[in-house]
Amino acid sequence: DAVAELRGRLEKMALHPYRFLDGSEVPWDESPAATEASLERFLVARHGDVARAEAMYVAHLIWRRRVFPIAREGAVVAILDDGRRFKRVAIAADGCPVLLVDFRWGYFLGEYSKLEHLRAVLVFMEEETEKGEREGRPQSAVIGFGGAPPPDW
């Protein structure tokens, strides 16, 4: 099967560890990104092409090393805790969490910078993904509301 083939190819490589939001790391094959469901998502994203899914997975690990850690403090926590931009609004009938990103009709940034908002959205999505995995819900539906995101965001 394609998931087993992808896992086999990854196991032959010297991969970076998986970095969590807080900066802690585990070997890639002990990470949430190494589950059957997660590897299947990489394959689906690349239309079943194992080589392309492999490349995407490797790039994903490198991206996580470059981006994390992000501290849940300062402007990031203020943006998340104000409840106006990001929230889990429901669990759909099929068990899928429904997440809302409200672009606030042109008032998305408010007093915070684009970088602070980017960090906040990454923290929100990481926390919701981890929560969903713990709950046995490997997918989420994200609804964008309140107009388009800022054009240069």
Side-chain angles (χ1 to χ4, degrees):
D1 106 298
V3 171
E5 182 182 349
L6 175 57
R7 182 179 301 284
R9 290 174 71 139
L10 293 169
E11 287 172 345
K12 293 177 184 171
M13 302 175 74
L15 296 175
H16 289 288
Y18 178 94
R19 182 171 288 174
F20 288 94
L21 178 63
D22 67 3
S24 62
E25 296 180 342
V26 296
W28 75 268
D29 56 346
E30 296 174 18
S31 77
T35 64
E36 296 294 310
S38 186
L39 292 176
E40 179 71 25
R41 285 192 292 268
F42 281 91
L43 284 161
V44 168
R46 292 298 173 249
H47 306 288
D49 184 322
V50 176
R52 289 180 59 219
E54 174 188 346
M56 182 183 183
Y57 192 92
V58 171
H60 163 254
L61 292 176
I62 293 168
W63 177 84
R64 293 186 75 86
R65 289 186 64 78
R66 290 178 49 214
V67 172
F68 299 137
I70 298 174
R72 197 182 210 288
E73 63 186 21
V76 170
V77 76
I79 292 165
L80 294 171
D81 287 353
D82 79 6
R84 294 180 295 169
R85 293 170 182 86
F86 312 108
K87 58 183 133 190
R88 182 188 276 205
V89 293
I91 300 294
D94 66 357
C96 187
V98 180
L99 311 177
L100 176 70
V101 178
D102 184 351
F103 291 108
R104 304 187 64 236
W105 301 109
Y107 298 97
F108 183 71
L109 296 177
E111 66 270 25
Y112 303 107
S113 73
K114 293 173 193 167
L115 181 58
E116 290 164 332
H117 279 85
L118 179 59
R119 288 180 177 143
V121 76
L122 289 171
V123 168
F124 173 73
M125 295 306 296
E126 280 293 304
E127 289 177 350
E128 286 298 326
T129 299
E130 288 177 13
K131 183 177 179 181
E133 293 284 342
R134 283 192 311 272
E135 296 170 345
R137 304 172 196 268
Q139 296 182 356
S140 296
V142 180
I143 298 171
F145 176 79
D152 59 347
W153 199 59

